């Protein structure tokens, strides 16, 4: 069964303390790995799509990387405004666009 | 301009009632989705329509019935509501091509009492 698992479930950082979020996947024929940010009371906001192992994408303090088994979201020198739940999702081989989401990592950055 | 909008934002109702949630997107996308997010924030696909055709129909009670009058609108009707239906329901849309980047609405928080 296709599955996406994120760790840790929750992460507390001090402002400026860099860290990484992990997303492990077992999705047959993975066509893409997606990262989303979700703020409380809002819908997920698209961040990145990674399509092949070795690919990296960056946006401000965030960098996403992909291997054949997992993806990492690296957060460099985070700020309190980076506090949110980060979701990753795998796209399987079908043409339906079905995303399989992980349970998310809730990040809290303290000033 | 809101890209993907949902109404209502909050819905509180009693067990056994029937309710509907509406979704509209102005992104020109061909595919729309309904997701359910439980209290642990786990997001799970329920349905998807591509150009008014149902293409994803997950294991969901048949009390849930989606309808897409056109490719910009996707509604979700729920019959005989149960306590376990309480959750946040998100609508999303994606455009053509292989990217499948999905853009989500603000969600509808459904509370069944």
């Amino acid at each position: 069964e296709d599955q996406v698992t994120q760790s840790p479930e929750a992460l507390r950082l001090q402002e400026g303390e860099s860290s990484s979020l992990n997303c492990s996947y077992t999705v047959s024929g993975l066509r893409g790995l997606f990262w989303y940010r979700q703020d409380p009371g809002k819908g997920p906001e698209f961040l990145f799509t990674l399509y092949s192992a070795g690919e990296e994408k960056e946006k401000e303090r965030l960098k996403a990387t992909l291997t054949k088994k997992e993806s990492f979201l690296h957060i460099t020198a985070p700020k309190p405004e980076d506090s949110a739940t980060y979701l990753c999702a795998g796209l399987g081989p079908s043409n339906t666009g079905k995303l399989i989401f992980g349970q998310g990592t809730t990040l809290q950055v303290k000033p | 301009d809101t890209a993907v909008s949902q109404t209502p934002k909050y819905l509180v109702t009693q067990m056994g009632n029937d309710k509907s949630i509406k979704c509209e997107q102005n992104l020109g996308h061909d595919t729309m989705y309904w997701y359910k997010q439980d209290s642990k924030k786990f997001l799970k696909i329920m349905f998807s329509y591509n150009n008014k055709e149902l293409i994803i129909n997950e294991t969901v009670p048949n009390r849930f019935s989606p309808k897409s009058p056109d490719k910009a609108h996707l509604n979700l009707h729920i019959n005989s509501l149960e306590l376990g239906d309480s959750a946040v329901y998100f609508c999303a849309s994606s455009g053509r091509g292989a990217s499948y980047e999905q853009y989500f609405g603000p969600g509808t928080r459904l509370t069944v009492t």
Side-chain angles (χ1 to χ4, degrees), chain A residues 13-18 77-81 108-111:
Chain A
L13 299 173
Q14 289 294 130
E15 184 172 2
E17 179 186 2
S18 301
K79 298 182 178 182
E81 52 262 43
Q108 184 181 25
V109 182
K110 294 187 175 182

Side-chain angles (χ1 to χ4, degrees), chain A residues 84-98:
Chain A
T85 295
Y86 291 86
L87 302 167
C88 74
L91 174 68
S94 74
N95 291 323
T96 61
K98 178 180 175 181

Side-chain angles (χ1 to χ4, degrees), chain A residues 33-49:
Chain A
L33 191 292
F34 295 73
W35 281 98
Y36 284 84
R37 169 188 172 134
Q38 186 174 21
D39 292 299
K42 295 190 176 181
E45 175 188 349
F46 172 77
L47 292 174
F48 305 108
T49 310

Side-chain angles (χ1 to χ4, degrees), chain B residues 29-75:
Chain B
H29 288 165
D30 293 322
T31 307
M32 297 184 73
Y33 311 79
W34 278 116
Y35 285 87
K36 179 180 181 180
Q37 188 171 47
D38 61 25
S39 58
K40 294 186 178 181
K41 297 206 171 181
F42 184 63
L43 201 60
K44 187 172 182 181
I45 184 76
M46 299 173 69
F47 303 103
S48 176
Y49 272 80
N50 179 267
N51 270 327
K52 301 193 294 178
E53 178 187 354
L54 183 65
I55 59 171
I56 296 176
N57 187 357
E58 292 293 292
T59 308
V60 176
N62 57 15
R63 297 181 294 103
F64 290 79
S65 54
K67 284 187 180 178
S68 181
D70 56 61
K71 70 176 188 178
H73 296 85
L74 180 61
N75 303 323

